[in-house]
Amino acid sequence: MSLKKYSAYIKVIETGSLTKAAEILNYTQPNISQMIGSLEEEYGFSLLIRQKNGVRPTKNGLAVLPAMRELQRGYEKLFETVHQINGLETGKIRIGAYTSIATNWLPKIVEGFKHLHSSIEIQIYEGNVSELNDWLEKDQIDFGIGTSHNNKWDFQPLAKEPILVIMSPQHKLAKLDLISLKAIESSEFILPYSDSHFEVHNIFKEEQISPKIAYQVRGDETIISMVKNNLGISLLPKLLLSRCTEDIVIKPLEINVSRELGIIMNVRKHAQTPSVNKMIHFINKWVKKDN
C-alpha cells in the first residue's frame, strides 16, 4: 500500500536516516530502501540524496512531501473516526511545547488525560519558538503550547504568565521589593536569545531601555546558573523558576509584564483528529481548573 511507503519516506526525512527510520517503524533498512525505491520508480524521479552521514530530500522529494503528509494525516483522521463510531478509542497526539511548559504542565496534563484515554499514544517535542514554528510548518506536531508569535498560526489563549527578575542573593538589587526598569538598565544583564524568549526583547523595545548586556545565552538552565553565580541579572517566565528555591532571588518588576500562553495550530494544513480535539479540550479544562 502506498500509504506505508509515504509513512516510510516521511520518517526518513524527519530522521535524516534510512536506518533510524527503519528502527522507529519496525522495518529492516532494506525494507525502507525498497519502499523508497518503489516510490522513485513510480514517480520517475529521485526522492533522496544519499550522503556519508545520512540522507536528505531532493528538490522534487521536498516538493511532494507536504502532499504525503496530508494523505497520512487524512488516513489517521479517517482511522480514528471509524474506530470512534465503532466504540473504540485509538490515536496518536504529537505536542510541541516550550521547556517550561513541558516540565511544569505536561506531566500533569498527560497523567490526567491518560487516566481517561489510556489507549491514545502521546508524543512530546520540547523546543523553542523557532523549533515550534518549524515543526508546525512541517506537520511534525499536531499543535504547540507556547506564545503567540506568528500570525500565520491559529492561537487559542490559555493563561497569562508573569515575567520576573532573577538575581543572586548577593546582588545589590536583592533587598528591593520591586525592581524598576531603571535599575535593570543600570545592572549587568544576562540576555536570552530571541528564539528562546522574544518577550524579554520586546520589553526592552517597548519600554525603550538599553540594559548592559554582559552575556547572551540560549539555555534557560545556563542563565539561571550564571545568575546564581552573580554574573548578572535576567528576566525569565515564572514557570521556569518554579523549582528555583536555592541561591536565587526572584522579584517582580514595577510594571506588570507577562506572556500569554496558548495552543498554537497550523489550521491551513488539515482538520484535527478526534484524539487531538480531545486533548485540546482537556488542556483547556485543566488550565482553567489548576491555574
Side-chain angles (χ1 to χ4, degrees):
M1 183 179 179
S2 291
L3 190 64
K4 289 184 179 179
K5 299 176 187 177
Y6 300 157
S7 296
Y9 180 66
I10 291 167
K11 191 58 66 177
V12 166
I13 299 305
E14 288 178 354
T15 60
S17 166
L18 293 166
T19 303
K20 289 180 181 177
E23 290 174 357
I24 293 170
L25 297 174
N26 293 318
Y27 289 120
T28 63
Q29 195 268 350
N31 287 152
I32 294 289
S33 295
Q34 188 177 19
M35 283 189 274
I36 303 299
S38 176
L39 284 175
E40 290 177 327
E41 184 177 350
E42 180 182 344
Y43 294 162
F45 52 78
S46 297
L47 293 171
L48 294 176
I49 297 173
R50 274 75 173 176
Q51 301 171 312
K52 289 183 179 180
N53 59 345
V55 295
R56 63 182 177 87
T58 63
K59 183 179 179 181
N60 290 330
L62 204 58
V64 299
L65 186 60
M68 287 186 184
R69 291 189 189 277
E70 288 284 343
L71 287 168
Q72 182 189 50
R73 292 296 291 157
Y75 177 78
E76 288 175 2
K77 185 181 179 184
L78 173 62
F79 188 75
E80 283 189 32
T81 302
V82 169
H83 275 179
Q84 190 176 50
I85 291 170
N86 289 323
L88 301 173
E89 188 173 61
T90 58
K92 179 189 293 184
I93 304 170
R94 305 163 302 167
I95 307 171
Y98 294 168
T99 299
S100 57
I101 296 167
T103 302
N104 294 283
W105 279 13
L106 284 182
K108 298 173 185 177
I109 289 171
V110 170
E111 180 187 21
F113 186 83
K114 289 291 283 186
H115 181 72
L116 298 173
H117 310 284
S118 59
S119 60
I120 294 177
E121 179 185 346
I122 299 171
Q123 295 179 348
I124 296 173
Y125 297 73
E126 184 181 329
N128 57 33
V129 173
S130 59
E131 287 172 318
L132 257 64
N133 267 330
D134 187 54
W135 294 334
L136 285 167
E137 186 65 48
K138 293 179 178 178
D139 199 26
Q140 288 182 237
I141 58 175
D142 298 303
F143 64 90
I145 307 178
T147 51
S148 178
H149 54 271
N150 193 326
N151 292 331
K152 71 193 292 186
W153 311 134
D154 177 69
F155 183 76
Q156 299 179 11
L158 290 171
K160 287 192 175 181
E161 178 192 14
I163 294 176
L164 303 171
V165 189
I166 60 172
M167 66 200 74
S168 163
Q170 287 76 45
H171 197 276
K172 62 183 180 180
L173 302 179
K175 293 182 180 180
L176 299 178
D177 294 327
L178 293 174
I179 309 300
S180 68
L181 294 174
K182 186 176 181 181
I184 287 180
E185 197 169 27
S186 63
S187 301
E188 290 195 334
F189 194 86
I190 302 171
L191 182 69
Y193 275 82
S194 59
D195 63 357
S196 299
H197 297 289
F198 70 93
E199 299 90 357
V200 174
H201 291 254
N202 285 348
I203 291 170
F204 296 150
K205 182 179 179 180
E206 291 174 4
E207 300 299 328
Q208 297 182 337
I209 64 171
S210 301
K212 299 175 183 178
I213 308 300
Y215 307 95
Q216 189 164 11
V217 181
R218 178 165 283 108
D220 300 320
E221 293 299 323
T222 304
I223 292 173
I224 293 170
S225 180
M226 292 178 76
V227 167
K228 286 182 178 181
N229 284 276
N230 205 18
L231 294 172
I233 66 172
S234 193
L235 289 168
L236 287 177
K238 184 178 180 179
L239 277 178
L240 271 172
L241 307 173
S242 61
R243 298 182 183 181
C244 296
T245 56
E246 297 180 358
D247 303 321
I248 195 167
V249 173
I250 304 170
K251 299 286 185 176
L253 276 166
E254 64 176 357
I255 59 172
N256 184 22
V257 177
S258 63
R259 65 176 184 175
E260 189 166 41
L261 300 175
I263 292 172
I264 312 162
M265 290 184 289
N266 186 351
V267 293
R268 296 184 294 105
K269 292 287 185 179
H270 46 67
Q272 299 290 5
T273 62
S275 60
V276 170
N277 286 329
K278 288 176 184 176
M279 174 59 87
I280 290 172
H281 178 70
F282 182 87
I283 290 172
N284 274 280
K285 287 181 64 178
W286 182 88
V287 170
K288 289 177 182 178
K289 178 181 176 183
D290 291 69
N291 296 274

